[in-house]
Amino acid sequence: MTDDLWGRHRSVLPDWLALYYDRPLEITHGEGRHVWDAAGNRYLDFFGGILTTMTAHALPEVTKAVAEQAGRIVHSSTLYLNRPMVELAERVAQLSGIPDARVFFTTSGTEANDTALLLATTYRRSNTVLAMRNSYHGRSFSAVGITGNRGWSPTSLSPLQTLYVHGGVRTRGPYAALDDRAFIDACVEDLRDLLGHTRPPAALIAEPVQGVGGFTSPPDGLYAAFREVLHERGALWIADEVQTGWGRTGEHFWGWQAHGRSGPPDIVTFAKGIGNGMSVGGVIARSEIMNCLDANSISTFGGTQITMAAGLANLTYLLEHDLQGNARRVGGLLIERLRAAAAQVPAVREVRGRGLMIGIELTRPGTDEAAPEAAAAVLEAAREGGLLIGKGGGHSTSALRIAPPLSLTVAEAEEGAEILEGALRSIA
């Protein structure tokens, strides 16, 4: 019974290990864009295990690749040549846009960002890191130290000196009233001023679209403008593509490409969707940066054969079926449908997003005050209607996060929008 499992969960797992819903859900299996719980209820999945089930649940091409690889060898570590790892690295390097790219595989986005910070601080001989306000980069000690979201940063202790920059949230903060060009100019001037008061930084790390922060993003071109300022000082640009990579934003394969006039980032981190549920993360960097470490290193579980087989099959399916194009087309329809529905709900402050990465921010009607209780109520109502969504946000968890598998159909998008419209109206 799920209630019994919940009690056992609370007996042996940390109190801070968050669960959704007043009555937590045990998901037992999935297929396509749907999952089932232990009671046999069927749900349309608009969150994909936190943007991780990128293509589809139980995708035959991926499950077959995993089963076949498991029948040969599951694991050997990076101490031995690994054909699936080399093949996936070749494909990722080619897709990255980074010249003379090298790829290092990890088991998660947190570990990928840790590695990127190690590379940047070693390469630049600096422990100063710039990060964005409202950002999230993982749960490790160093990743928490660069996370600009109070709700996900349990300690102020850090091995890094972190300075937080304006610009990740377009519609809040001191520059919100400016037009896009003036907003970018103001953020750039603020960055220049900040850099005038500190030692040269190692890097700026930034999510092109802030994930846990509620799917917020700056105007296109902000990070290109930042990069020009960073380049003057030799600092690196790290693009955290853990949630935005692989075509989820629809318009671009990588989120950084919306800011790409100055070329690709120096370092890109990725994870989540590439494994479609298997534990795959990684770092892409120019060879001179990747090779700057002067000590030995290995990865016991990063790049293991079974996860690489899953990643190869998943990436092949994504490219051959143009799921980036599907995210653009179906995501465009979905966001317009949600904007129309939200226009009738006073608690909705904004519907924003790109492709199949959509956020709905809720506030107390007539104010800009966050309404986490409303977001929690919509989450519950959507579940009752047969739809799973996520939540997040910087000021509090008052933004709904919608990120279905990229193979979402138009009919499923309409079905999910109808359920969500009803859930939103239930709080009106």
Side-chain angles (χ1 to χ4, degrees):
M1 295 290 292
T2 296
D3 287 346
D4 178 56
L5 185 62
W6 185 16
R8 291 162 59 192
H9 173 105
R10 288 181 292 182
S11 295
V12 296
L13 296 173
D15 291 345
W16 43 259
L17 194 62
L19 289 169
Y20 274 173
Y21 306 116
D22 293 336
R23 294 177 297 104
L25 185 67
E26 180 190 1
I27 295 174
T28 58
H29 61 286
E31 182 178 350
R33 275 71 54 195
H34 292 87
V35 294
W36 284 259
D37 68 14
N41 298 306
R42 177 177 178 262
Y43 302 92
L44 184 58
D45 186 3
F46 268 27
F47 203 38
I50 319 177
L51 292 82
T52 302
T53 305
M54 179 171 67
T55 47
H57 290 281
L59 186 71
E61 289 82 352
V62 173
T63 56
K64 179 183 178 184
V66 168
E68 290 180 349
Q69 182 61 54
R72 292 190 292 271
I73 188 169
V74 171
H75 168 78
S76 67
S77 89
T78 55
L79 290 172
Y80 305 93
L81 286 173
N82 179 332
R83 189 173 299 274
M85 182 168 66
V86 172
E87 291 175 352
L88 185 55
E90 289 171 339
R91 298 195 72 181
V92 170
Q94 187 273 324
L95 289 165
S96 73
I98 295 176
D100 194 23
R102 299 292 188 273
V103 182
F104 176 74
F105 289 105
T106 67
T107 61
S108 69
T110 291
E111 190 188 348
N113 285 330
D114 259 351
T115 303
L117 293 170
L118 172 65
L119 293 171
T121 55
T122 302
Y123 183 77
R124 290 278 295 140
R125 310 303 300 169
S126 169
N127 77 329
T128 299
V129 174
L130 306 176
M132 304 304 296
R133 299 179 185 187
N134 196 51
S135 60
Y136 175 82
H137 298 287
R139 59 164 184 77
S140 68
F141 189 41
S142 65
V144 164
I146 57 165
T147 286
N149 184 319
R150 172 64 184 85
W152 293 90
S153 185
T155 177
S156 61
L157 302 175
S158 175
L160 303 167
Q161 180 187 37
T162 306
L163 304 173
Y164 292 102
V165 180
H166 282 298
V169 182
R170 177 65 183 89
T171 60
R172 286 187 180 272
Y175 308 140
L178 302 176
D179 64 32
D180 284 356
R181 183 66 260 168
F183 180 93
I184 291 174
D185 290 343
C187 291
V188 168
E189 286 308 306
D190 179 76
L191 175 62
R192 287 187 185 278
D193 181 69
L194 177 66
L195 292 174
H197 297 282
T198 186
R199 297 184 64 81
L204 166 73
I205 184 168
E207 306 156 272
V209 179
Q210 294 181 330
V212 171
F215 292 171
T216 63
S217 62
D220 288 359
L222 175 74
Y223 293 123
F226 276 4
R227 201 216 179 153
E228 292 173 5
V229 177
L230 296 170
H231 184 72
E232 295 169 4
R233 292 158 175 80
L236 305 179
W237 173 25
I238 304 169
D240 178 343
E241 296 274 358
V242 169
Q243 297 195 31
T244 49
W246 319 109
R248 177 164 288 282
T249 64
E251 298 171 39
H252 304 289
F253 192 76
W254 301 104
W256 68 258
Q257 290 172 314
H259 307 271
R261 72 168 187 257
S262 59
D266 300 290
I267 302 174
V268 168
T269 61
F270 62 87
K272 290 192 181 290
I274 183 61
N276 205 45
M278 299 295 282
S279 297
V280 183
V283 183
I284 319 164
R286 298 197 316 270
S287 60
E288 63 180 299
I289 298 172
M290 186 68 81
N291 294 332
C292 75
L293 304 183
D294 61 0
N296 294 325
S297 191
I298 61 168
S299 180
T300 302
F301 290 109
T304 195
Q305 283 92 334
I306 197 165
T307 61
M308 297 294 95
L312 275 166
N314 196 43
L315 181 58
T316 298
Y317 185 91
L318 175 108
L319 296 171
E320 290 182 350
H321 291 80
D322 187 24
L323 295 194
Q324 177 187 337
N326 192 66
R328 182 179 65 253
R329 293 185 296 272
V330 180
L333 294 171
L334 180 57
I335 196 169
E336 290 307 316
R337 175 71 169 77
L338 293 174
R339 281 176 174 155
Q344 310 303 315
V345 181
V348 176
R349 180 178 184 268
E350 182 183 23
V351 178
R352 56 185 175 242
R354 295 171 179 268
L356 287 173
M357 195 172 186
I358 301 169
I360 301 177
E361 185 179 349
L362 303 178
T363 54
R364 293 183 172 87
T367 76
D368 273 347
E369 187 179 349
E373 70 288 344
V378 174
L379 202 77
E380 295 283 354
R383 173 193 172 171
E384 291 302 312
L387 178 71
L388 304 184
I389 58 175
K391 60 180 179 176
H395 292 77
S396 65
T397 51
S398 60
L400 307 172
R401 293 200 288 162
I402 299 153
L406 302 189
S407 56
L408 186 74
T409 68
V410 171
E412 289 164 342
E414 178 57 36
E415 178 189 353
E418 185 174 349
I419 296 170
L420 193 49
E421 179 177 4
L424 287 168
R425 289 182 181 276
S426 73
I427 66 164

